[in-house]
Amino acid sequence: MRRALLLASLVALAGCGSGGSEVSVPRAQPTIATVPGGAEGGGTAPGTSPTTTTTTPAPPASAPRPPIVQRRIPYGARRRADMAAYSLRHYGVREWRLSPRAIVEHYTGNGSFSATWNTFAPNVRDPELHELPGTCAHFVVATSGTIYQLVDTAIRCRHAFGVNHAAIGIEHVGYSDGQVMGNSRQLAASLALTRWLRCRYGIAVRDVIGHAETLASPWYVEIHPERHGRSTHGDMARPAMTRYRARLTRLPCA
């Protein structure tokens, strides 16, 4: 029974409440070589020509750090090695370290922080691509507005296909975009966290995206787009994120 519940949680979080339906979004041309800002160390996939962009992160500024409760998941040498191998398969460079250039917002598809933590903590294959490392996110915002940190922001997490090499992942406990956007405490905490992170790392508001928007991100990278070139995730879609970014714009860096 416990194993069945864990599998159900894995499926929900891997899809982040998408229900498995494919989402149509405007798609950016997949970047196959050099990643903007050096996030991938300038790696180039075999048989491809380097692609560059003029996108440059803004200089870091300051913003208030919201209260954050530390609830770290196990992320030792084995999981880091799995993350490096995953990065090599999908981004062309063996690396587990993260230089944040974007932030991806999600909802969990479950009803509690503890269920989310229990899903992310084991380093097990995901139910979608059946790959290691296990899925995770850097932060979780509970329905109460409490912010939990699970993984250091200098380490990559598997939370959004195509942008794990560049993005911090923030999960919101809940079952829909509307539930997250309609919870004033949770939304206020989320905006405070995102503001602090984007100001700390010089991330533009336009690079704060929802999970459903990843294919349209200029940070999207996939060296095998013929095999992994579509989105099956519908959480935090463009209508919700347009409102979210509008709120975030009114919270500038100092």
Side-chain angles (χ1 to χ4, degrees):
M1 181 67 176
R2 183 177 180 182
R3 184 176 180 181
L5 288 172
L6 176 59
L7 180 59
S9 294
L10 281 167
V11 171
L13 280 164
C16 286
S18 68
S21 60
E22 184 172 344
V23 178
S24 297
V25 294
R27 178 171 176 177
Q29 184 66 28
T31 305
I32 301 179
T34 304
V35 178
E40 282 294 316
T44 303
T48 62
S49 300
T51 302
T52 59
T53 176
T54 57
T55 303
T56 302
S62 61
R65 182 184 187 276
I68 298 173
V69 179
Q70 299 299 321
R71 291 289 187 271
R72 301 300 179 97
I73 62 171
Y75 209 120
R78 177 70 265 171
R79 196 163 187 161
R80 295 183 189 200
D82 289 339
M83 186 72 247
Y86 174 94
S87 295
L88 180 63
R89 290 193 302 273
H90 292 280
Y91 311 128
V93 176
R94 187 182 295 276
E95 182 59 85
W96 55 265
R97 298 172 184 85
L98 175 65
S99 296
R101 298 290 183 266
I103 299 170
V104 180
E105 312 287 347
H106 308 251
Y107 65 75
T108 63
N110 65 32
S112 70
F113 166 73
S114 60
T116 305
W117 193 96
N118 289 335
T119 299
F120 288 155
N123 186 28
V124 296
R125 295 181 185 275
D126 71 284
E128 185 178 3
L129 297 179
H130 311 291
E131 291 186 271
L132 289 172
T135 56
C136 64
H138 296 88
F139 298 90
V140 178
V141 184
T143 55
S144 64
T146 302
I147 301 169
Y148 298 93
Q149 183 168 9
L150 279 61
V151 178
D152 193 278
T153 53
I155 298 174
R156 298 179 184 188
C157 260
R158 276 193 63 201
H159 60 92
F161 186 77
V163 296
N164 294 311
H165 64 287
I168 294 170
I170 301 176
E171 291 276 359
H172 301 76
V173 174
Y175 294 94
S176 69
D177 295 3
Q179 184 177 346
V180 174
M181 296 300 294
N183 183 328
S184 59
R185 289 183 297 179
Q186 187 177 35
L187 181 59
S190 174
L191 288 165
L193 173 62
T194 300
R195 178 196 187 193
W196 173 64
L197 289 169
R198 83 167 198 86
C199 294
R200 179 182 181 188
Y201 292 108
I203 297 170
V205 171
R206 65 178 176 274
D207 290 322
V208 176
I209 62 174
H211 196 184
E213 298 180 302
T214 53
L215 283 178
S217 170
W219 298 102
Y220 181 90
V221 175
E222 175 49 55
I223 65 174
H224 295 294
E226 73 282 0
R227 289 187 292 179
H228 307 293
R230 61 177 185 164
S231 174
T232 57
H233 302 283
D235 50 321
M236 302 308 286
R238 183 157 298 175
M241 288 306 302
T242 297
R243 294 165 52 204
Y244 189 98
R245 284 186 289 265
R247 295 279 298 269
L248 190 62
T249 300
R250 297 197 290 270
L251 300 170
C253 302

